[in-house]
Amino acid sequence: MVEVNNLMMRYGSRVLFENINLKFDAGKRYGLIGANGAGKTTLMKILSKQLQPTSGNISVQKALRVGTLSQNQYAFEDFTLKDAVMYGNKKLYDAIKEKEDLYIKGDFEDEIVNNKLAELEIICAQEDPTYEVDINIEKTLTSLGFLVDTHEKLMSSLSGGDKFKILLAQVLYYKPEVLFLDEPTNNLDLEAISWLEDQLKRHEGTMVVISHDRHFLNSICTNILDLDFKKVREFSGNYNDWYIAANLISKQQELQRNKKLKEKEDLEAFVRRFSANASKAKQATSRQKQLDKLNIEDLQSSTRRDPSIVFKAKREMGNEILEIENISKSFDKTVLKNMSFRVEKGDKIALIGPNGIGKTTLLSIIIEDLQADDGRVKWGATIEPSYFPQNTTDLIDGDELLYEWLQSFGEKKDLDEVRKCLGRMLFSGEEQKKSIKSISGGEKHRMMLSKMMLQKGNFLVLDEPDNHLDLEAIIALGEGLYNFGGNAICATHDRELIDAFANRIIELKDDGSFIDFRGNYEEYKEKFNK
């Protein structure tokens, strides 16, 4: 359906990738993965013809419809939700709007107007042969959590996350044979992600998707494209299949590399020893030729680096941890209503629920950044909480260098300890001298996790810390939370992260009530048929 031939992308003297040759087949769903900075989004933009490559070409089978998920959430501010979704099929949208305009303003005695209406009717019939455009859009919007009475609202009235949902509905409504999706699960809650998975698994064409959600990739992908060392390697299967295969290849290459390194050392020693000896000169020359042929660089296994996230508490906890007593909070509507629960020693809580349900509100009340309307929060005397706020990327700013920013919190931190912590979070050498305001969203999230590791609190409160993190960092975060000896409560939509650490699930409901379940996420889903 789509072919890529000899693709190369260069920025100045830097080659991002080269000699890319791929064929995307019908019925296959490809997950595009790679380290941050490897060029995934750039490659996706080239595939979807939003960006011109330095060389090479992309060919799409004739007459196929191509759908690309837009990242501009503010492109349709004056559209209704319904019209923004319909715009996914621009040909149909334009025909319907022109037809409506002619019915309002047109002169039906004019033959030109009637001919134009007939022409527009043909276009509508071709693009929507069952005349179910309104029903299909209504079903799509309702599935994404938009009630019917909101479908005529303007896009400008929505939050950024809801606008992104509309863009997703827009590209799926069009039913393209070829789909290019860059981070489609961003801003989606668990129910919306589940809905999206069902939609994509029914897609009969071909699809390329970038995502940092392992569960999502495992659920929908039939193939994995691994962008590394400026090349793309294709693997059959989902993300877990790739992970096993890639690690096996890595181990094999490590063994080969060690063998070649030993061989290289032996050859170099021989050349040094005998190159000055006339009787051995011929052998030394032969060994030097062997040495020149040993290309150890070809045996590199991956450019990926895994961060090391290790939370350690500096203070032992007593038996009294945290008690929430009859907490209520309202804004335009009731968000929390008479909420009470007690956190016991060892609880690792996943806080879940749809977007806008009140998770951030609850966490803000727990860490006493926000006052509840009623009720109280009672911390144990030995508890020292450490907080990861949802708006971390906005909060981390200024002219300080990375290590200076970390040193500025509380007691003066030892510079060596700070530098080691930054190194564990993949800020090495000169990178530690970056200005805090110049780093990316993902880097800011790693900085906040560095801060929490240095604070050594015994109760971790995290509000969607996985946003902006790559797959390797999310895996490391799950391991860090699982191995942590204290307590944690974490709001997240990442199911693999929840599976990794949670032994208790609290789900907030739309009416202000909540479910408090002791057990892991799989047990929770089984009990409540999720």
Side-chain angles (χ1 to χ4, degrees):
M1 298 186 84
V2 180
E3 285 196 33
V4 178
N5 297 298
N6 299 318
L7 203 66
M8 182 183 81
M9 190 64 185
R10 179 197 296 274
Y11 289 103
S13 61
R14 183 193 174 207
V15 175
L16 196 58
F17 43 77
E18 60 187 347
N19 299 322
I20 306 295
N21 292 282
L22 296 167
K23 185 178 179 183
F24 300 108
D25 297 322
K28 291 183 179 179
R29 301 182 293 272
Y30 301 85
L32 177 57
I33 64 172
N36 280 347
K40 299 186 296 295
T41 293
T42 299
L43 179 56
M44 184 73 88
K45 285 181 177 178
I46 292 172
L47 291 175
S48 57
K49 300 192 175 179
Q50 298 176 74
L51 188 64
Q52 281 294 319
T54 304
S55 62
N57 62 79
I58 313 291
S59 58
V60 180
Q61 193 177 323
K62 282 186 178 180
L64 292 185
R65 293 186 293 186
V66 178
T68 303
L69 177 61
S70 171
Q71 299 295 320
N72 184 359
Q73 299 173 3
Y74 302 98
F76 301 93
E77 293 293 87
D78 296 328
F79 283 62
T80 65
L81 309 195
K82 176 183 167 184
D83 283 350
V85 174
M86 193 194 302
Y87 194 84
N89 186 340
K90 191 172 184 302
K91 191 174 181 181
L92 176 62
Y93 173 85
D94 287 342
I96 287 176
K97 291 303 173 185
E98 189 175 354
K99 190 171 69 169
E100 289 175 353
D101 192 56
L102 283 175
Y103 275 123
I104 293 170
K105 301 175 184 176
D107 179 2
F108 297 109
E109 300 297 323
D110 188 335
E111 187 177 350
I112 295 175
V113 171
N114 287 312
N115 287 341
K116 185 63 178 177
L117 282 170
E119 180 186 319
L120 293 170
E121 198 63 51
I122 290 171
I123 293 173
C124 290
Q126 289 172 339
E127 297 299 315
D128 180 33
T130 59
Y131 288 90
E132 292 183 330
V133 56
D134 292 328
I135 294 171
N136 291 334
I137 290 174
E138 184 177 303
K139 283 180 180 177
T140 301
L141 287 171
T142 304
S143 298
L144 282 168
F146 297 100
L147 300 176
V148 174
D149 60 4
T150 68
H151 296 182
E152 295 297 333
K153 283 187 174 182
L154 292 180
M155 286 282 286
S156 57
S157 68
L158 299 183
S159 67
D162 281 345
K163 286 175 184 176
F164 188 80
K165 284 184 181 180
I166 299 296
L167 296 182
L168 191 57
Q170 184 185 83
V171 71
L172 293 177
Y173 159 73
Y174 183 44
K175 297 191 183 302
E177 289 89 358
V178 180
L179 262 176
F180 296 116
L181 304 174
D182 190 351
E183 294 289 358
T185 60
N186 276 2
N187 303 300
L188 299 187
D189 54 43
L190 289 168
E191 286 187 20
I193 293 172
S194 180
W195 172 84
L196 176 61
E197 288 173 354
D198 289 340
Q199 296 293 311
L200 296 182
K201 281 188 281 192
R202 289 201 292 266
H203 182 68
E204 294 179 355
T206 191
M207 179 183 76
V208 183
V209 60
I210 297 172
S211 178
H212 290 150
D213 185 327
R214 280 182 298 161
H215 191 288
F216 179 73
L217 292 175
N218 281 329
S219 176
I220 67 162
C221 289
T222 62
N223 297 70
I224 295 293
L225 303 173
D226 183 17
L227 178 55
D228 206 357
F229 292 111
K230 305 175 186 178
K231 310 289 183 188
V232 174
R233 289 189 297 183
E234 182 176 342
F235 294 80
S236 293
N238 60 20
Y239 180 81
N240 281 349
D241 296 326
W242 164 83
Y243 189 80
I244 293 167
N247 275 279
L248 181 60
I249 290 171
S250 179
K251 291 295 182 188
Q252 289 173 336
Q253 289 179 332
E254 185 180 348
L255 290 172
Q256 281 184 271
R257 182 179 173 80
N258 290 338
K259 183 180 177 182
K260 283 201 172 188
L261 280 170
K262 179 67 169 64
E263 189 179 344
K264 183 173 183 286
E265 288 171 6
D266 292 344
L267 288 170
E268 285 174 339
F270 185 92
V271 170
R272 282 195 305 271
R273 184 177 174 192
F274 295 111
S275 58
N277 187 324
S279 65
K280 298 285 187 178
K282 190 173 182 179
Q283 285 177 276
T285 302
S286 174
R287 295 292 196 279
Q288 182 63 55
K289 287 179 179 177
Q290 285 180 262
L291 188 59
D292 293 339
K293 290 178 182 177
L294 276 175
N295 192 349
I296 292 167
E297 285 69 28
D298 286 347
L299 296 177
Q300 292 171 297
S301 58
S302 178
T303 60
R304 289 179 179 82
R305 296 181 297 159
D306 296 337
S308 174
I309 300 178
V310 180
F311 299 111
K312 291 182 179 179
K314 65 184 176 185
R315 183 176 183 180
E316 280 290 324
M317 305 175 107
N319 291 323
E320 292 186 0
I321 310 298
L322 172 66
E323 192 168 354
I324 304 299
E325 296 180 348
N326 299 314
I327 290 292
S328 294
K329 186 67 180 178
S330 298
F331 295 102
D332 294 333
K333 66 169 189 173
T334 299
V335 178
L336 306 171
K337 183 169 68 178
N338 297 326
M339 188 172 192
S340 297
F341 64 90
R342 183 185 182 94
V343 179
E344 306 291 346
K345 211 169 186 178
D347 281 347
K348 307 278 182 68
I349 301 169
L351 181 62
I352 65 173
N355 286 330
I357 202 71
K359 299 186 296 296
T360 294
T361 298
L362 176 60
L363 295 184
S364 297
I365 290 171
I366 285 175
I367 55 100
E368 300 176 327
D369 268 1
L370 182 67
Q371 182 68 42
D373 297 335
D374 293 297
R376 70 169 186 153
V377 175
K378 184 182 177 184
W379 285 101
T382 61
I383 305 305
E384 295 180 353
S386 185
Y387 180 47
F388 188 111
Q390 189 182 79
N391 61 336
T392 280
T393 50
D394 299 325
L395 291 177
I396 297 181
D397 198 12
D399 296 319
E400 297 164 293
L401 305 182
L402 302 194
Y403 65 85
E404 292 174 336
W405 185 82
L406 282 178
Q407 279 189 302
S408 67
F409 292 97
E411 60 197 65
K412 200 72 173 175
K413 298 292 181 185
D414 178 70
L415 182 57
D416 185 56
E417 183 184 5
V418 168
R419 286 191 178 278
K420 284 179 180 176
C421 184
L422 285 170
R424 287 198 298 272
M425 294 305 290
L426 308 183
F427 297 104
S428 56
E430 289 301 309
E431 287 184 321
Q432 298 184 6
K433 296 179 182 178
K434 285 181 178 178
S435 166
I436 196 76
K437 68 182 178 185
S438 71
I439 60 177
S440 69
E443 289 173 322
K444 287 182 177 182
H445 274 224
R446 284 191 273 131
M447 285 298 294
M448 186 61 76
L449 290 169
S450 299
K451 175 191 168 186
M452 294 180 76
M453 286 192 284
L454 289 168
Q455 285 177 326
K456 298 182 179 178
N458 52 21
F459 194 117
L460 306 180
V461 181
L462 305 104
D463 193 354
E464 300 199 15
D466 48 287
N467 284 353
H468 302 289
L469 294 182
D470 59 22
L471 281 159
E472 289 74 31
I474 294 172
I475 291 169
L477 175 58
E479 290 173 352
L481 290 173
Y482 176 78
N483 292 319
F484 179 51
N487 286 84
I489 180 168
C490 176
T492 180
H493 297 306
D494 191 298
R495 290 156 295 179
E496 294 287 340
L497 180 58
I498 295 171
D499 283 337
F501 81 92
N503 57 23
R504 183 176 177 183
I505 310 294
I506 293 180
E507 180 188 7
L508 301 188
K509 310 292 283 185
D510 194 48
D511 60 0
S513 64
F514 69 102
I515 295 172
D516 186 356
F517 177 78
R518 288 191 174 275
N520 62 35
Y521 188 56
E522 289 303 314
E523 292 166 339
Y524 160 80
K525 287 195 297 182
E526 185 176 343
K527 181 175 175 65
F528 295 99
N529 296 315
K530 295 290 184 178

